[in-house]
Amino acid sequence: MASFKIEGGHLLSGTITPQGAKNEALQVICATLLTSEPVTIHNIPNIRDVNNLIQLLKDIGVKVSKEEKGYTFQADQLDLKYLESDEFVSKCAQLRGSVMMIGPLLARMGKAIITKPGGDKIGRRRLDTHFLGFQKLGAEFFQIPERNVYEIGAKKLKGTYMLLDEASVTGTANIVMAAVFAEGTTTIYNAACEPYVQQLCHMLNNMGANISGIGSNLLTITGVESLHGTTHKLLPDMIEVGSFIGMAAMCGDGVRIKNVSVQNLGIIPDAFRRLGVKIEVDGDDLYIPRQNHYVVDSFIDGTIMTLADAPWPGLTPDLLSVLIVVATQARGSVLFHQKMFESRLFFVDKLIDMGAQIILCDPHRAVVVGHDRNLTLRAQRMSSPDIRAGIALLIAAMSADGTSLISNIEQIDRGYEDIEGRLNALGAKIERL
């Protein structure tokens, strides 16, 4: 198990460019299973979750070639026997992104094997939305108890109207990929409309699909017979952009974040501004000047600031951990409400050990009373529980007084490419052990 040794107190300055979007990559890579023709995807990040998914596609027979700025995938000779093997099921169980292979395999091959996928241990992450959508399209489930898996199959999917029980991003993506070959028209109401879902739909349309309503919560998919190849470029990773804003606010001496796709960041910059963080927009770049002090905003009626996650265009839950760390050095108090996952706030006990003033009200809510930089966080030995808490703890350690050690950084590697190298180039002192 690898660790980061972080010498805190060093100011960051310079320019950093975000990687391609992890969550988009997992979706569009799975979408390459929908055609036998080559699909080239640019700006794919070199991170563990994406690399593991690419390897999984290679294992099932997809031809994968590395290009100068991306990868080309061709799924013209899938190994159907391997798709039903225990080895394949075991690998899927270790990678949450594997769940998005179900929709394309069901659409193109007529069946798929399902097991509970892996991923962050941040509470319940139910898959009901995916499976209810598949059933609406006409798929049937059969349990295979001796293997602890389900087989899902359909001779021919049929378009229908469905109202999703939640605006699940991966659920929407999976159902859309299944519906592109369904007979007739599929209407999905309460669909997720995140930029990454929009990107997936645009890519599928470029491959010959017929999807309308992109960017709204009402998608209409008219089924087609087949899809062809295309070329696609990933958006910058909005979660990484938000992480860099947090780092620049906590320990920056003027940091420019390049090519962020400002129009696709939604409410993220404003969430940091509500904590008092100054952010300047310069073309498609963000510049975060040095923040000697940042003062938490309050609502018009004077009540305490509350930041809560919500489906797009609301605040992504993936950035609440970073915002909590930033709030520890603000002037003022903030209530954070993590609605989607009941275990994601438990990492704050590590921040409390570092000297942060945080009250964990319950598994979903925490109040942060900012130090206004009058009290610096203390260095600690910690372990990264998940990707987003891991990057939040890294930010806390970079701002702390002394040398911290963060173990289990493989969690951070799942979502951030060469993070220590890129931050050290800005002036951080991070060593991988």
Side-chain angles (χ1 to χ4, degrees):
M1 183 181 294
S3 302
F4 278 149
K5 180 181 177 183
I6 306 104
E7 188 179 298
H10 295 279
L11 292 178
L12 309 181
S13 63
T15 299
I16 192 166
T17 303
Q19 66 191 23
K22 167 185 177 279
N23 291 338
E24 181 187 348
L26 297 176
Q27 294 176 25
V28 299
I29 288 172
C30 289
T32 65
L33 294 169
L34 288 165
T35 179
S36 61
E37 297 185 15
V39 177
T40 299
I41 304 174
H42 296 302
N43 202 28
I44 291 180
N46 180 20
I47 55 177
R48 289 172 66 95
D49 275 12
V50 171
N51 292 339
N52 288 342
L53 180 61
I54 291 173
Q55 183 58 52
L56 194 57
L57 262 63
K58 289 180 180 178
D59 292 341
I60 65 173
V62 178
K63 299 183 182 74
V64 181
S65 58
K66 184 80 168 68
E67 310 292 333
E68 184 179 352
K69 296 182 179 179
Y71 288 84
T72 294
F73 303 84
Q74 186 167 10
D76 58 342
Q77 292 181 322
L78 296 182
D79 186 344
L80 300 182
K81 185 174 292 186
Y82 184 78
L83 282 166
E84 298 178 359
S85 69
D86 290 338
E87 183 180 342
F88 174 70
V89 169
S90 176
K91 288 184 177 180
C92 288
Q94 299 171 38
L95 176 65
R96 183 162 185 84
S98 66
V99 73
M100 282 178 288
M101 297 172 63
I102 300 170
L105 290 174
L106 177 62
R108 188 171 168 205
M109 301 299 167
K111 66 177 181 179
I113 301 292
I114 302 165
T115 187
K116 185 177 179 180
D120 286 331
K121 307 305 180 189
I122 55 176
R124 294 178 305 140
R125 305 179 76 178
R126 63 190 185 89
L127 300 176
D128 301 56
T129 303
H130 303 239
F131 304 147
L132 291 171
F134 297 148
Q135 286 180 316
K136 284 275 191 180
L137 293 171
E140 295 183 319
F141 287 82
F142 304 95
Q143 186 177 14
I144 308 175
E146 62 272 17
R147 298 179 62 195
N148 194 29
V149 299
Y150 286 85
E151 183 178 292
I152 178 172
K155 290 184 178 179
K156 181 64 179 178
L157 297 175
K158 294 186 181 297
T160 187
Y161 169 85
M162 65 181 79
L163 173 61
L164 302 188
D165 63 335
E166 64 172 352
S168 164
V169 176
T170 54
T172 300
N174 229 344
I175 296 167
V176 166
M177 288 188 282
V180 292
F181 290 159
E183 187 179 279
T185 300
T186 302
T187 304
I188 307 173
Y189 195 29
N190 195 30
C193 53
E194 267 81 352
Y196 304 144
V197 175
Q198 297 177 39
Q199 284 283 95
L200 171 67
C201 291
H202 287 309
M203 174 176 147
L204 292 172
N205 278 351
N206 290 336
M207 295 168 70
N210 187 348
I211 305 171
S212 59
I214 300 172
S216 76
N217 68 346
L218 181 61
L219 293 174
T220 302
I221 303 109
T222 303
V224 298
E225 290 296 322
S226 63
L227 298 182
H228 52 73
T230 191
T231 298
H232 180 78
K233 183 178 180 180
L234 301 182
L235 288 174
D237 195 310
M238 69 169 82
I239 312 304
E240 192 171 72
V241 172
S243 302
F244 292 154
I245 294 173
M247 292 175 190
M250 287 281 282
C251 42
D253 191 22
V255 174
R256 177 177 294 273
I257 311 172
K258 290 280 293 180
N259 303 326
V260 300
S261 189
V262 172
Q263 72 273 22
N264 288 302
L265 292 179
I267 203 171
I268 290 172
D270 286 337
F272 284 95
R273 290 185 177 111
R274 286 192 160 189
L275 297 182
V277 177
K278 296 180 179 65
I279 303 173
E280 300 171 9
V281 179
D282 182 10
D284 207 29
D285 298 352
L286 297 180
Y287 180 74
I288 295 84
R290 183 168 181 171
Q291 321 269 323
N292 291 321
H293 297 277
Y294 44 98
V295 182
V296 177
D297 201 356
S298 61
F299 291 115
I300 293 174
D301 62 359
T303 54
I304 186 172
M305 174 57 58
T306 300
L307 289 176
D309 58 339
W312 185 271
L315 180 61
T316 170
D318 285 346
L319 277 176
L320 279 191
S321 303
V322 172
L323 286 160
I324 287 172
V325 170
V326 174
T328 65
Q329 292 302 317
R331 181 187 302 165
S333 301
V334 195
L335 170 64
F336 289 93
H337 191 172
Q338 164 60 269
K339 299 175 182 176
M340 296 189 187
F341 306 109
E342 65 269 14
S343 303
R344 206 163 208 172
L345 292 184
F346 290 158
F347 85 102
V348 302
D349 62 345
K350 301 173 178 62
L351 299 179
I352 294 170
D353 289 342
M354 297 178 79
Q357 297 184 88
I358 302 175
I359 303 166
L360 186 60
C361 308
D362 55 44
H364 292 278
R365 295 176 301 160
V367 175
V368 180
V369 181
H371 289 311
D372 192 21
R373 299 196 188 275
N374 290 321
L375 181 62
T376 305
L377 296 178
R378 300 186 296 269
Q380 286 288 323
R381 297 177 67 95
M382 301 170 279
S383 178
S384 172
D386 63 74
I387 302 175
R388 308 310 175 187
I391 202 69
L393 293 175
L394 180 60
I395 297 171
M398 289 164 60
S399 71
D401 184 17
T403 299
S404 298
L405 194 71
I406 302 177
S407 61
N408 195 29
I409 60 169
E410 288 82 2
Q411 288 285 355
I412 301 174
D413 291 337
R414 289 177 48 216
Y416 294 85
E417 179 180 336
D418 185 28
I419 190 65
E420 74 274 23
R422 297 157 74 201
L423 295 180
N424 285 342
L426 296 180
K429 299 292 183 183
I430 306 170
E431 181 183 358
R432 180 180 292 259
L433 305 178

